[in-house]
C-alpha cells in the first residue's frame, strides 16, 4: 500500500486514489497539421520506463483534485509530488 | 428570494442509530448546503460571499449558528439548523453567479454523530484515515472512504472524555453506513 501525500489533504492511503497514467502527454496540433503517426502516438503510445515515471493521480475519495507524482516503477518509491500545470526537471525527484 | 419559511420536505433517513455503553450512533437532524467557487481566488470569493475568512485546509470553523467545513479547494460544506441554512442560502443568493454555486443538499445526505470510547476502533476497521488524537484534532475534517462508500468526517468536541465524530454520507448509502458501524 502506498502512502500518497496529496498536495491538499496530506498523506493518505493509496485506496483513496486513482492513477491516471503518464503525465505531460501533449496533444499534437493544430489538428490539421498533426500526422497520423503523431496522433496515434498521442492516443495510444506511452513510456513504460523501468525507474522514475511521471504520472497523474486523482484523489478520488478525498478532495477530488488531480496532481502529478514521480514514482519509481521498480521500488514504488515516490520521489516528488507537484501540482497540475507544474513541471520538475528530469531526475529532480530522486 | 426563496422563502425561508417554506422548508423542503425531507424523507426520513432509511438508516437507524443505536446506543451501547461504548459506542452510539445517532442520526443528526441538521441541514446541509454546499458552496462551490470556481476560479483562482476561491478563498477571496468565499470571504465576499460569507463575510468571513474560509476555514483553513482540512479544518472546520463555526460561525454563529453555521459550521463551514473545508472539502477541497473551492468547495465547502455548510452544516446547521434547517432555518439557519435556509436563511444563509437565501441571503447568499448566487443564482445568477457564473463562478459560484450554493445548493441545499440536505435531501441527498444523511448526517450521523458517532460517539464513544470505541468510535476510533470501529472507524479504523472501515476507513483508512488516522483518526487518533495527535493526527485528527477537534475540528479537523476529511473526505475519505467508509467501507464501500465515501464520507465527510469531522471531529467534534469530545463528550465525557470520549471522541465524537460527525459523519456525512450519501442518503442512499446511509443504511449501509449505519450497518457497517453497528457491526464494528
Ligand atoms: Zn486530496
Amino acid at each position: 500500500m502506498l502512502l500518497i501525500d496529496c498536495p491538499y489533504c496530506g498523506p493518505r492511503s493509496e485506496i483513496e486514489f486513482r492513477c491516471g497514467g503518464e503525465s505531460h502527454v501533449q496533444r499534437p496540433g493544430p489538428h490539421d497539421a498533426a500526422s497520423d503517426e503523431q496522433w496515434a502516438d498521442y492516443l495510444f503510445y506511452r513510456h513504460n520506463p523501468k525507474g522514475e515515471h511521471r504520472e497523474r493521480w486523482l484523489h478520488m475519495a478525498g478532495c477530488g483534485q488531480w496532481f502529478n507524482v514521480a514514482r519509481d516503477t521498480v521500488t514504488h518509491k515516490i520521489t516528488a509530488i507537484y501540482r497540475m500545470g507544474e513541471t520538475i526537471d528530469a531526475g529532480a525527484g530522486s | 428570494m426563496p422563502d425561508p419559511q417554506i422548508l423542503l420536505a425531507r424523507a426520513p433517513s432509511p438508516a437507524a442509530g443505536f446506543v451501547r455503553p461504548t459506542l452510539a450512533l445517532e442520526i443528526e437532524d441538521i441541514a446541509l448546503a454546499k458552496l462551490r467557487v470556481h476560479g483562482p481566488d476561491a478563498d477571496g470569493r468565499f470571504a465576499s460571499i460569507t463575510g468571513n475568512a474560509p476555514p483553513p485546509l482540512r479544518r472546520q470553523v463555526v460561525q454563529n449558528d453555521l459550521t463551514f467545513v473545508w472539502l477541497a479547494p473551492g468547495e465547502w460544506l455548510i452544516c446547521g439548523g434547517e432555518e439557519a441554512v435556509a436563511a444563509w442560502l437565501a441571503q447568499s443568493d448566487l443564482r445568477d453567479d457564473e463562478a459560484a454555486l450554493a445548493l441545499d443538499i440536505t435531501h441527498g445526505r444523511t448526517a450521523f454523530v458517532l460517539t464513544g470510547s470505541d468510535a476510533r476502533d470501529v472507524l479504523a476497521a472501515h476507513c483508512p484515515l488516522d483518526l487518533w488524537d495527535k493526527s485528527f484534532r477537534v475540528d479537523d475534517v476529511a473526505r475519505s472512504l467508509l467501507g464501500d462508500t465515501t464520507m465527510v468526517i469531522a471531529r467534534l468536541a469530545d463528550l465525557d472524555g470520549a471522541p465524537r465524530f460527525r459523519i456525512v454520507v450519501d442518503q442512499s448509502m446511509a443504511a449501509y453506513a449505519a450497518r457497517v458501524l453497528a457491526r464494528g
Side-chain angles (χ1 to χ4, degrees):
Chain A
M1 176 84 76
L2 298 175
L3 192 64
I4 299 174
D5 196 3
C6 171
Y8 308 97
C9 303
R12 296 288 199 92
S13 163
E14 179 186 351
I15 58 170
E16 294 186 0
F17 297 85
R18 295 290 179 274
C19 183
E22 185 180 333
S23 293
H24 310 304
V25 175
Q26 296 285 335
R27 183 188 173 114
H31 68 279
D32 51 358
S35 67
D36 286 353
E37 198 175 312
Q38 284 176 312
W39 191 246
D41 186 57
Y42 165 65
L43 287 183
F44 303 116
Y45 288 87
R46 296 291 179 263
H47 296 298
N48 186 20
K50 187 175 180 182
E52 192 188 82
H53 189 226
R54 308 288 167 80
E55 47 202 25
R56 299 173 304 172
W57 283 76
L58 170 68
H59 195 186
M60 187 131 165
C63 60
Q65 305 291 306
W66 285 95
F67 56 92
N68 292 301
V69 169
R71 179 180 64 92
D72 190 298
T73 56
V74 179
T75 62
H76 288 300
K77 185 169 190 246
I78 292 172
T79 49
I81 288 181
Y82 53 105
R83 295 185 184 205
M84 296 312 277
E86 295 177 354
T87 52
I88 54 170
D89 294 337
S94 44
Chain B
M1 289 294 266
D3 181 350
Q5 298 303 312
I6 302 171
L7 305 175
L8 278 178
R10 314 285 188 209
S13 174
F18 58 85
V19 179
R20 297 175 196 156
T22 54
L23 189 69
L25 183 73
E26 176 197 347
I27 295 171
E28 201 181 11
D29 187 20
I30 55 168
L32 300 161
K34 187 175 267 197
L35 174 62
R36 284 202 80 149
V37 176
H38 295 280
D41 187 27
D43 285 356
R45 279 302 319 270
F46 180 99
S48 68
I49 292 165
T50 65
N52 290 295
L57 259 64
R58 310 186 286 275
R59 298 283 291 165
Q60 67 176 17
V61 289
V62 180
Q63 276 151 6
N64 302 320
D65 39 12
L66 293 174
T67 303
F68 293 85
V69 181
W70 179 89
L71 292 178
E75 188 178 354
W76 297 272
L77 183 73
I78 295 125
C79 320
E82 182 131 358
E83 293 189 16
V85 170
W88 181 81
L89 281 164
Q91 160 251 303
S92 52
D93 194 23
L94 298 170
R95 282 169 299 169
D96 296 326
D97 198 305
E98 289 181 355
L101 174 75
L103 205 61
D104 186 329
I105 58 166
T106 311
H107 57 282
R109 303 286 189 279
T110 293
F112 296 106
V113 173
L114 184 71
T115 320
S117 52
D118 283 350
R120 288 191 181 100
D121 284 336
V122 168
L123 283 165
H126 305 286
C127 158
L129 292 173
D130 179 355
L131 297 171
W132 292 86
D133 199 38
K134 271 187 189 158
S135 46
F136 205 72
R137 299 159 296 158
V138 171
D139 287 332
D140 274 358
V141 301
R143 193 155 54 181
S144 184
L145 295 167
L146 177 67
D148 290 328
T149 190
T150 53
M151 65 168 170
V152 176
I153 183 165
R155 185 170 163 200
L156 307 177
D158 290 359
L159 186 70
D160 302 330
R164 205 155 60 100
F165 298 97
R166 173 178 286 143
I167 294 169
V168 179
V169 296
D170 283 351
Q171 192 165 82
S172 56
M173 297 304 273
Y176 163 79
R179 268 201 317 276
V180 154
L181 295 170
R183 201 174 57 199

